[in-house]
Structures are given as C-alpha cells and as structure tokens.
Amino acid sequence: MSENEEVQKQKYVTFMSGNEYFGLKIECVNEIIVMQEITAIPETEEYIKGLINLRGKIIPVIDVRLRFKQEPFKYNDRTCIIVINVDSTTVGLIVEKIAEVVEISEDNLLPSPTLNHSDKAQQDRYVYAIGKVGNSVKLLLDPEKLLHDDMKVLEQVNAEEDEEE
Amino acid sequence: MAEEFNTEGMLDMYLFENTQLLEQLQEIVLDQRDADCFDDDSINEIFRTMHTIKGSSGIMMFDEITEVSHKLEDVFYYLRESKPENVPHIELVEHVLTVSDFIMGEMEKLSNGEDADGKAGHIVEELDKFLKSIKGNDKEEPVRASENAAPQQFYIAPMATSSSHFFRIYLTYAPDTVMANVHAYKVVFSLKDIAEDLLHYPEDIISDESSGDEILENGFKILLQTQATKEDLQNLIKESYELKKVEIFECTSKEFMAGFDSFGSEILIDLESSVEEIEKRAQENEKEDNVSLEDGGLFIAPDSIPEIKEKKTIAPGDFVIESKGVGKSKKLAKDKNKKIEKTSYISVDIKKMDQLMDLIGELVIAESVVLQNQDLKVPGLKLDNFNKAASQMTKIATDLQDVIMSMRMVPLTNTFQKMNRIVFDCSRKLGKDIEFEMIGDTTEVDKNIIEHISDPLMHLVRNAVDHGIETMEERAQKGKTEKGRITLSAKTESGKVWIGVQDNGAGLNREKILAKARKHELLDPTRLDSSYPDKEVFQLITLPGFSTNDKVTELSGRGVGMDVVVSNIQSVGGTLEIESTPGQGSLMLLKIPLTLAIIDGIVMQVAKTTFVIETGVVKEFINVKRESVVRKPNGEEFVMIRGEGYPMIRLSDLYHIEGGKQEISDGMIVLIEVDGKSVCVFVDYLIGKQEIVVKPIPDYIKRVQGLSGCTQMGDGSIALILDASGLIEK
C-alpha cells in the first residue's frame, strides 16, 4: 500500500467486560445472540462454559471474564454471546454487555503499552493494540490468541518433545 | 489448441475414471506378482487399461502420461501378440507399478490444481530397454498396428473442392468404452477444422456425462457440411480400438436440413456376437465375487481361506480384443434393442452425500421435536389420528436413514489393495519373502470410517512386515519352513467391523516389552512382572514413545507409531487388541463401529445434564437398595447384583455435576458391558430410548475421557454421549 492512499479504517465490535471496553475486528464476528441455555462439559477449563445449540450447530462458549482470570459475573438479560469464527473454529464469547460498532483508523491504533513484566505480559497477551475513540480507549483483542494460545503452547511442548526423541 | 479445448468438468471425469483403472491395474498386478508370468486375461486387461489411459490422456493433452502409457501398452502388446517366454516377471511387475505410480502422481498433481509437469523420460527409457531385452529373448518382431499413432494430428481443409458436400456419419463405440462422450468429442474436434456446418447428437457431450451411455447405446450421429471428400473423412475418423464402426454416407443438402430425423432407416448394424454372452460372463464373474464375499469369518486358520478372486469389471477384455481383427470388427454393437441389465452406478460428490446425511440427521431431530412437543402433553387431547400419522412418519424416517447409511457404505477392497502394495514394496526393500492374503475385503464400512483407518492400518501392516516377519536367515534358523505371511482380514460382528492384521513372524517379546516399560517407569514398581497378563503387556506398546525395536529402520521403529495408531482408531470409537504367540506371530485386531452418524441410544439424566449411551452396551437397568452398595476404604464403590460385584461409577461425581442424586435408592443403575467388562453407572433417572444423531464435540474443547460426542435433543437442548469403553477404562 502506498502512503498517499487514504488511511485504512477498520470496524470493531466493542463490548464491555469488567470495567474496560474491548474490541474485536468485525470480520471475525459472525453474529451476536442473546444468552442461551448452556450444557456444561465436564473436565474442561473453567472458562469454557459448555456447549450451545446454535440452530442445529453445536458450538462451544467461553466466558471472557473467566478467560481473563477476572472475577466471574452473574449472567443477566444484558449478557450476550458474540459468535466468532477464527480459522474455521466457531466459538461463542460470553460478554457482559455489547457496546457498539466503532470505526478506528490505523493512525489511532497504538501498540499496547506494557511494563514487560513477564507474568503481566502473559496476562496482556490477548490485547494486540489499543484503539483511541474520542476520549476513550478500546483494548483490541487478538481473537486467535483468545481462543488458542494454550493450545499453541501445548503444541510447542509436544513438538519439542518430539524433537528430543 | 489447448486453449480452444474446454477441459472443465472433463478433468474430473478423467481423474475419476483413470484412478479407478489404475487401482484395478494394481490389483491385478499384485495379485499375480508371485506367479511366473501374467495370464492372458491380465495381459489383456493391463493392455486395455493402458490403452484407455493413453487415449484419454491424449485427449487431455497430458503428453508425458500419454507417452508412458503408450510405452507400457507397447510392452504388453508385444507380450500379448508374441507370447515371449522367459520374461523376467518381477521386473515386469516393477515396471508396471512404476508407471502406475507415475501416472497416479501426475493425477494427484492435477487434482490439486497443479500442472502435470512430471518428466517420464527415464521411465520410457527403462521400458524401451526392457522391451528390447525381452525381444532379444524372442526373435520374432511383431509389427505394431499403427492405429494409435499420432492421436493429435488435425486435418486441414483442402481448398480444391468447389462445392460443399453433405455427410451423415454414424459412429459406433465398443460397449466397454470409457468416457465415450469424450471420444466422440475428439471426433467432433477433429472435424471442426474442415466443417462448414456441423450437427451432432447427443448434443451435449461435454458437460453431460450420461451422454456417454447414450452414445454407447445408440451410437453417435454427426451431420456435416464440408469441402472435404468422403475419403478425407475416412482418413480423419479412423476405426480404432474404441471406435468399432465408422459409417459415412453422402447425402443431399435437403437431407442435411432435415436433421437427424432421416437417420433411422440405415441403422443396420446387427451382429451376432451377442450381448447375452457378455451378460453371462459378467454374471459369472459376479458369482465368483459373491463367493469370496462370504468367507470373512475366520481370522486365523489360513488353510481354510479360499483364494480371493480378482474383481473384474463387466466387459471382459478377451472378447473385445479378439474381435479387433480385420473383418471381425462388426461383431459388436448389437445393444440396440436389448438392454444389458447390469447395476448402474453414478458417482456423487461426497459433499452432497454429507449434506444429505446432515439433513436427514436434522430431520430425525425435527421429528422428535414434533413428536415430543410440549403442546401434545395437554391432558385430554385426542391424539389417535396424530399417533397413526406419527408412526408412519417415524417409519419413513427410519427407512430413509437406512438408505443413506447403505449409500455411504463402501467395501474395504481398495484400502486392502493399498496394503497389498505396501507389503510388496516393503518386503522387497527388506529382502523378505512375504505372502499377502486378504480375507473378507468386500466387508462394507462407512466411508468416513475408512478414511480414518487407512493410515493406522498401513502402520500396522508396515510394522508386521518390518518387525513381525523375521528375515529369511532367522526363519531358516528357527526351522520355519513356510513363507512369511501377512493376512489382512475383515468381518462384521456385533455391530462392529473387525479388521485383523496377522503375521506368522516372531511375535512380541514379552520380556523385552516389560523391561522397556520398567525402564520408562510405566509399570507399578510393586507388581511383579509375572502378575501382568499378556494382554496388558502387549497393550504397553501402544503407549507414546514405546518401541521395542533395537534400531530405527527406514520403515518404522521410532516408537511414535503405535500410539498414533491407537489414537486414530479411538477417534472413530474403535479399539485395538493385540494377541501374540512367541515364535508364531501376532494379531492386531481393530474393532471399529460400522457407522458413526446415527445410533440408538438410552437417554438419561443427571441433575441438569442429559447423557446418552449406546443401547448396544446396556445390559440392564436396576433399582438397587442401599445395602447392595459397598464402599471400599479407597472410596471406590461396587454394587452386589445377584451375588456378583460390579464397580460403580457415579456420573455426578465423575464429572463433578452438582445437584445429582446421592441416595442410591432414589436413582437408577445402568449396567453396561463392553468386551466382557462390566460397570454400573449411577444416574438420577432414565428418560427413554431414542435414535440420536451423533455430532462431534467441537475440536476446541479437548477430549474428555468417557465422552464420545454430543447430540441435539428433541427440545433443542444438548446431550452428551457417553463412550462405554472409555468409561470402563477410567
């Protein structure tokens, strides 16, 4: 892309979780549905709440707050499920409240500031950038990391083991 | 030229047909690899296959494939015509396999959307050398018929003739011609350059695959207006192997304008070589196949195994080739009035099948939504008529399921053939002399399952060749006289397919396995070696990183194999059993469910969670009193039923479900049995028996032991499907 072209704009779906607003690129969002009845799956991570039946398609749902290792919250009628699709994996994200769809131009994106303490960085790994909208900021989430990072870690461990053989 | 030529849709057909041909070819070759030479039928069959491939590749302009198949065809033409003796058979087998590998490889590239850019020069050279060498053995040099030469020459219209001629052309193809419509198109294409006007019937020969059958049945008709003479046309459309008969009639422009209606009267070809004969032969072949179908029963006793006949397609090669001589070429094509009553097949995109399957699954769910609808439960409703209609609908839905299931069933033949090839390759690489035997290869399994077992099976077969069968010297030392033998068998029993890989090699070394397991600290240090039953010891080799082979070979021995095999098999709900006798060989027995999609299940409830278990494993439901349950100090519980003790699993404890019933007498015990092992499962209450559509638990959630999938219930909620063998192992 040449520089004199108009600055790229991206649309984000924003939602509230805890006290912060988060944003997800709109391309990866399939739909937003109201809270559904969830069938729990035994022996899974705490943040995986279970399965829902989305018009005949069975998809897993995860609780974003638990994913961020924050306090659990009580589901109410504002609670929503954002159905996202990453690498052909469809997953529902349970969020406290849907905010709005915002447009953020690229020059309003900042790398996520961090003190680089290793354990904090670990917590921070889902946020790849922050976007400025007016006076507020949205934490922009990397959906792939949100779903998959521990799997990747596991795979790496496995791969290393394989190499050792 | 190539741009002009529309290959869309034809490429798929080309790949599909030729893959089938090559698979058949491999089958024939491997079937006779231990013989001294190919029998006449096989030579004809290989010749024909190569010829067909050459022809269709020529049309598709895949020059390298054309050339290679042409060369091999030459070799077999020579074998057929001159019947030379002292042909180095095994070398020939290898040549055929190399060629078929090359073509397969190219076709793979094509199906991946790449270009067929492989170079076949060296294979052609080898074949030339080989042909020379066998010709050297036998001085007689047959003259190769020139009918196949230069398939891509195109005629250029001569300008000399002043006025246009009109022709009616009638083409008859051999009844076994593959892709007759493509051949017909070839003719049309070659006429294009000289034609001023051209009509043909059937009209759509490019995208409509059924036109091929139409052509075979009624011939291919062309109306042509051209400057060329009849002789020119005759040169252009030569009778060839597939093209049995070319008739060219000159006609007036009036007749030309009348179109195809004026055709009929001269359709005369009526020849004695009878369709009945072909039919009869086809039936005989079928009969033979059916016989071999039934002997899937035995896994071990090799002496009771009749030879499995190679499967033949209808259209036996011999009669076609015989009729090729001069003057005899009219002996075919009587299939005008009489229809050959053979089973006809169509090939369907597997995606469409899956879609249909899904839809039927949805239908089953929708059915239960309707039949168990809350609205029906209002007291005082008269539902007699509704129930009648409902039971009719249930019946249709069940039939529909049965049909789709049977459509998805494919025989294991192809999978087994691949193993044959692997045995052949590996045994030659290792210098072992190994016989390969197949029993019950026509056993049918769900297509999805076949995809999952192909790799594990390959692994097991390789293992058997590499580790199972000893080298020739070792066998001689041990005084084993018979050849190394690997037997692949399949049969259906109690709703599962049993696939066995049996070898008569060294067997597993119990001590070695135990020693290795000790080293890796896989065993309970307090238990004595001797306290482990054989079965348990042999299962150890399926653990990750476990390989008893001393050295890693090219083929196997890194110990990453068996655990992959097992996890693959488990992913389709199968199990692997290992039996072995030192010095006499081992048996790897896979037990795999016939189908995955729809099962009959018992629905039960624990607190808010609904579980389903396959009806087949449930022995009984029991209400027991509190006194029958005994709790051991380590927390395990067992139930005394009719004097026998069974271990008990409380699903609510196992899966940490809150709110489940605790009091034994309040709930229900479900006794399940798998492979002789029984366990009691304690649930809150039973809901009923129902057909359920199995859906996988999304990949995102890691595998939970004891759960094999999930399903949607009539009310839209989700139930978890219990995996009985997983539960028992837990």
Side-chain angles (χ1 to χ4, degrees):
Chain A
M1 291 281 157
S2 55
E3 282 179 58
N4 52 10
E5 232 175 283
E6 219 179 287
V7 191
Q8 293 278 311
K9 282 188 174 175
Q10 211 6 302
K11 280 189 174 171
Y12 294 86
V13 176
T14 59
F15 60 88
M16 195 171 162
S17 181
N19 297 320
E20 308 301 337
Y21 282 95
F22 294 90
L24 279 167
K25 272 190 191 159
I26 203 159
E27 291 92 8
C28 66
V29 177
N30 274 9
E31 59 184 312
I32 296 162
I33 52 175
V34 294
M35 200 59 198
Q36 308 258 317
E37 196 185 314
I38 298 175
T39 304
I41 295 278
E43 296 189 357
T44 48
E45 289 84 352
E46 197 189 356
Y47 64 84
I48 298 182
K49 297 305 282 186
L51 302 171
I52 59 166
N53 176 6
L54 183 65
R55 294 183 301 275
K57 209 176 160 208
I58 291 174
I59 64 167
V61 286
I62 66 180
D63 184 316
V64 173
R65 270 183 76 151
L66 294 176
R67 185 73 177 107
F68 295 153
K69 308 227 165 58
Q70 293 165 336
E71 288 300 302
F73 68 103
K74 254 208 143 65
Y75 299 157
N76 56 28
D77 51 0
R78 291 170 95 180
T79 311
C80 282
I81 299 176
I82 306 179
V83 180
I84 63 168
N85 193 333
V86 184
D87 289 340
S88 71
T89 310
T90 308
V91 175
L93 306 176
I94 302 171
V95 300
E96 278 157 83
K97 197 177 110 193
I98 283 287
E100 57 190 332
V101 175
V102 293
E103 224 170 54
I104 306 175
S105 60
E106 253 180 24
D107 44 0
N108 277 331
L109 292 187
L110 301 173
S112 140
T114 174
L115 289 170
N116 220 0
H117 290 308
S118 61
D119 52 333
K120 287 251 175 65
Q122 193 66 6
Q123 288 278 356
D124 197 39
R125 63 197 184 272
Y126 314 113
V127 177
Y128 72 96
I130 57 173
K132 290 187 286 184
V133 180
N135 291 328
S136 65
V137 289
K138 318 278 183 196
L139 303 171
L140 303 183
L141 293 172
D142 181 342
E144 200 168 313
K145 288 228 175 72
L146 193 61
L147 301 189
H148 284 299
D149 63 341
D150 8 324
M151 289 194 191
K152 290 246 168 69
V153 173
L154 266 178
E155 275 164 27
Q156 270 169 12
V157 172
N158 286 343
E160 275 162 21
E161 275 173 6
D162 281 355
E163 276 164 30
E164 277 167 26
E165 260 186 58
Chain B
M1 193 162 65
E3 285 76 25
E4 249 181 83
F5 195 68
N6 179 10
T7 57
E8 246 176 73
M10 266 161 66
L11 183 63
D12 284 343
M13 224 201 308
Y14 168 83
L15 293 173
F16 177 72
E17 304 272 5
N18 285 357
T19 311
Q20 283 193 332
L21 283 172
L22 286 175
E23 275 167 8
Q24 272 170 30
L25 177 82
Q26 288 208 359
E27 195 178 327
I28 295 168
V29 172
L30 292 170
D31 202 41
Q32 304 203 2
R33 61 160 206 256
D34 292 328
D36 294 329
C37 62
F38 288 117
D39 59 30
D40 289 351
D41 277 356
S42 312
I43 289 178
N44 282 335
E45 192 73 40
I46 297 170
F47 174 79
R48 274 171 5 104
T49 305
M50 278 303 140
H51 186 87
T52 312
I53 292 175
K54 184 188 77 176
S56 52
S57 307
I59 296 168
M60 305 294 289
M61 323 262 172
F62 301 137
D63 294 341
E64 295 288 325
I65 301 180
T66 314
E67 198 179 344
V68 157
S69 44
H70 180 73
K71 269 287 163 257
L72 192 65
E73 184 195 344
D74 277 353
V75 172
F76 276 84
Y77 179 80
Y78 177 78
L79 291 175
R80 199 186 76 193
E81 295 300 314
S82 337
K83 305 200 171 13
E85 300 200 346
N86 307 325
V87 177
H89 182 68
I90 206 80
E91 209 176 302
L92 180 61
V93 168
E94 279 187 347
H95 280 304
V96 177
L97 291 179
T98 321
V99 169
S100 103
D101 281 353
F102 173 77
I103 301 174
M104 281 281 203
E106 295 300 292
M107 294 204 305
E108 180 90 344
K109 283 187 209 163
L110 288 169
S111 63
N112 291 337
E114 297 163 31
D115 286 336
D117 51 2
K119 289 284 168 253
H122 58 287
I123 304 179
V124 174
E125 268 171 42
E126 290 284 313
L127 281 171
D128 268 340
K129 246 190 254 165
F130 180 71
L131 187 57
K132 252 188 211 137
S133 78
I134 55 173
K135 275 185 182 165
N137 289 338
D138 192 290
K139 286 291 166 225
E140 207 183 318
E141 287 247 347
V143 185
R144 182 78 170 86
S146 64
E147 35 123 358
N148 297 309
Q152 286 167 29
Q153 270 179 10
F154 292 99
Y155 193 83
I156 292 146
M159 302 309 293
T161 334
S162 55
S163 62
S164 296
H165 298 277
F166 299 95
F167 291 104
R168 279 177 293 147
I169 303 169
Y170 190 90
L171 305 176
T172 309
Y173 286 91
D176 60 335
T177 305
V178 189
M179 297 195 283
N181 51 332
V182 177
H183 286 284
Y185 186 74
K186 195 167 134 191
V187 173
V188 172
F189 190 62
S190 65
L191 289 174
K192 255 187 191 151
D193 287 355
I194 57 159
E196 287 165 356
D197 198 353
L198 191 147
L199 283 170
H200 57 78
Y201 182 83
E203 278 167 21
D204 186 1
I205 52 173
I206 303 284
S207 57
D208 183 4
E209 288 176 31
S210 65
S211 63
D213 298 332
E214 167 89 28
I215 291 169
L216 288 183
E217 202 171 313
N218 296 325
F220 185 62
K221 300 160 198 165
I222 304 172
L223 281 175
L224 178 71
Q225 179 187 358
T226 179
Q227 298 282 340
T229 62
K230 192 171 173 177
E231 282 72 27
D232 291 328
L233 291 178
Q234 273 164 349
N235 285 333
L236 208 54
I237 315 167
K238 282 187 191 138
E239 290 193 358
S240 72
Y241 182 71
E242 290 88 7
L243 191 50
K244 280 293 162 242
K245 191 165 169 134
V246 180
E247 289 161 287
I248 303 173
F249 305 100
E250 197 158 351
C251 61
T252 63
S253 64
K254 206 173 141 203
E255 278 175 294
F256 183 77
M257 290 313 187
F260 291 106
D261 295 345
S262 61
F263 245 96
S265 56
E266 271 127 283
I267 303 175
L268 31 96
I269 326 97
D270 194 359
L271 307 150
E272 47 281 74
S273 163
S274 61
V275 177
E276 288 88 332
E277 249 173 67
I278 307 170
E279 235 176 306
K280 219 165 102 195
R281 276 190 230 194
Q283 277 169 1
E284 272 165 23
N285 274 337
E286 243 164 57
K287 254 183 231 157
E288 280 168 9
D289 284 343
N290 285 344
V291 171
S292 61
L293 221 161
E294 282 156 14
D295 45 49
L298 285 171
F299 271 96
I300 297 164
D303 47 349
S304 68
I305 296 146
E307 240 187 56
I308 308 243
K309 291 257 155 86
E310 51 169 277
K311 239 190 165 167
K312 277 208 183 141
T313 47
I314 313 163
D318 38 6
F319 84 88
V320 174
I321 283 158
E322 271 159 25
S323 69
K324 214 174 114 192
V326 193
K328 281 185 192 167
S329 60
K330 290 181 178 176
K331 287 240 170 192
L332 277 169
K334 197 198 154 189
D335 19 348
K336 293 276 125 48
N337 316 326
K338 278 209 91 174
K339 249 196 144 168
I340 300 183
E341 288 216 12
K342 58 174 186 188
T343 327
S344 58
Y345 294 94
I346 61 164
S347 47
V348 181
D349 189 343
I350 189 81
K351 277 196 205 112
K352 286 187 188 160
M353 292 280 293
D354 285 341
Q355 207 181 350
L356 183 60
M357 183 76 216
D358 284 347
L359 282 173
I360 292 179
E362 297 295 321
L363 181 71
V364 172
I365 292 167
E367 183 196 328
S368 54
V369 174
V370 173
L371 299 186
Q372 295 165 20
N373 204 298
Q374 291 298 325
D375 295 0
L376 297 171
K377 291 179 182 146
V378 180
L381 279 182
K382 271 196 131 182
L383 289 173
D384 292 357
N385 287 323
F386 176 85
N387 285 336
K388 248 184 232 166
S391 69
Q392 175 70 6
M393 179 175 143
T394 312
K395 186 179 170 298
I396 293 172
T398 316
D399 286 354
L400 201 55
Q401 272 176 45
D402 289 348
V403 172
I404 182 78
M405 281 304 163
S406 68
M407 276 165 74
R408 299 173 56 86
M409 297 300 245
V410 287
L412 283 163
T413 316
N414 276 346
T415 317
F416 275 25
Q417 278 307 332
K418 276 187 210 143
M419 304 306 141
N420 192 354
R421 179 69 200 277
I422 287 163
V423 172
F424 179 74
D425 284 351
C426 295
S427 60
R428 283 183 64 77
K429 234 176 241 166
L430 296 163
K432 293 177 182 176
D433 190 10
I434 297 174
E435 269 175 24
F436 180 78
E437 207 172 5
M438 295 187 291
I439 307 171
D441 61 321
T442 46
T443 308
E444 291 190 327
V445 182
D446 191 301
K447 170 106 178 101
N448 282 352
I449 292 185
I450 287 205
E451 278 160 21
H452 282 92
I453 59 170
S454 181
D455 278 355
L457 208 54
M458 193 164 82
H459 222 100
L460 293 177
V461 169
R462 254 191 218 156
N463 269 343
V465 176
D466 196 9
H467 310 316
I469 308 275
E470 310 94 327
T471 58
M472 309 254 258
E473 297 84 53
E474 278 169 359
R475 288 186 84 86
Q477 262 175 25
K478 288 182 185 168
K480 280 187 176 179
T481 48
E482 66 231 289
K483 261 187 172 182
R485 176 196 293 271
I486 288 174
T487 310
L488 204 53
S489 53
K491 64 172 173 176
T492 320
E493 193 169 310
S494 53
K496 298 217 167 183
V497 185
W498 297 24
I499 300 174
V501 180
Q502 168 138 33
D503 64 65
N504 65 351
L508 292 169
N509 186 331
R510 193 189 143 94
E511 277 66 45
K512 226 170 165 181
I513 295 170
L514 282 169
K516 178 122 185 185
R518 288 262 182 238
K519 205 174 117 200
H520 283 80
E521 289 163 2
L522 296 168
L523 297 181
D524 181 352
T526 58
R527 260 178 89 176
L528 286 172
D529 279 1
S530 56
S531 71
Y532 283 94
D534 278 356
K535 222 174 182 172
E536 220 169 293
V537 174
F538 298 146
Q539 281 297 336
L540 288 171
I541 66 170
T542 63
L543 295 173
F546 203 98
S547 171
T548 58
N549 203 30
D550 303 325
K551 55 180 187 288
V552 172
T553 68
E554 185 193 343
L555 294 171
S556 43
R558 279 173 57 85
V560 284
M562 287 306 277
D563 61 313
V564 176
V565 169
V566 170
S567 64
N568 275 355
I569 294 166
Q570 276 172 352
S571 73
V572 291
T575 54
L576 174 70
E577 283 172 24
I578 303 169
E579 286 166 29
S580 179
T581 321
Q584 288 180 23
S586 342
L587 168 67
M588 307 277 168
L589 190 54
L590 308 181
K591 292 184 184 172
I592 290 150
L594 272 174
T595 180
L596 296 173
I598 298 185
I599 61 170
D600 211 17
I602 304 284
V603 187
M604 38 206 197
Q605 191 78 25
V606 178
K608 278 184 180 161
T609 312
T610 316
F611 289 96
V612 180
I613 193 155
E614 199 188 330
T615 310
V617 300
V618 176
K619 297 284 281 186
E620 57 183 321
F621 310 108
I622 317 152
N623 250 323
V624 296
K625 295 203 184 80
R626 198 179 170 177
E627 298 86 70
S628 323
V629 178
V630 185
R631 199 183 180 93
K632 290 198 279 186
N634 64 0
E636 282 176 22
E637 288 176 296
F638 61 92
V639 191
M640 295 303 295
I641 301 167
R642 293 183 294 271
E644 300 250 359
Y646 298 96
M648 184 173 84
I649 298 172
R650 288 173 189 255
L651 280 185
S652 55
D653 289 356
L654 181 68
Y655 290 137
H656 312 288
I657 299 166
E658 280 167 34
K661 288 184 181 161
Q662 293 303 316
E663 196 57 52
I664 291 294
S665 48
D666 290 348
M668 178 65 85
I669 297 257
V670 180
L671 180 62
I672 58 176
E673 186 187 285
V674 180
D675 294 335
K677 284 186 212 159
S678 300
V679 66
C680 287
V681 179
F682 179 68
V683 298
D684 288 6
Y685 55 93
L686 299 174
I687 294 178
K689 180 165 160 292
Q690 195 182 324
E691 289 205 313
I692 53 160
V693 181
V694 180
K695 298 194 172 182
I697 295 178
D699 288 341
Y700 182 63
I701 294 170
K702 69 177 171 52
R703 223 183 123 72
V704 183
Q705 186 165 20
L707 292 185
S708 60
C710 56
T711 186
Q712 187 188 339
M713 302 306 290
D715 60 359
S717 66
I718 298 167
L720 303 173
I721 300 170
L722 290 171
D723 162 32
S725 48
L727 270 183
I728 287 178
E729 273 170 36
K730 223 175 148 106

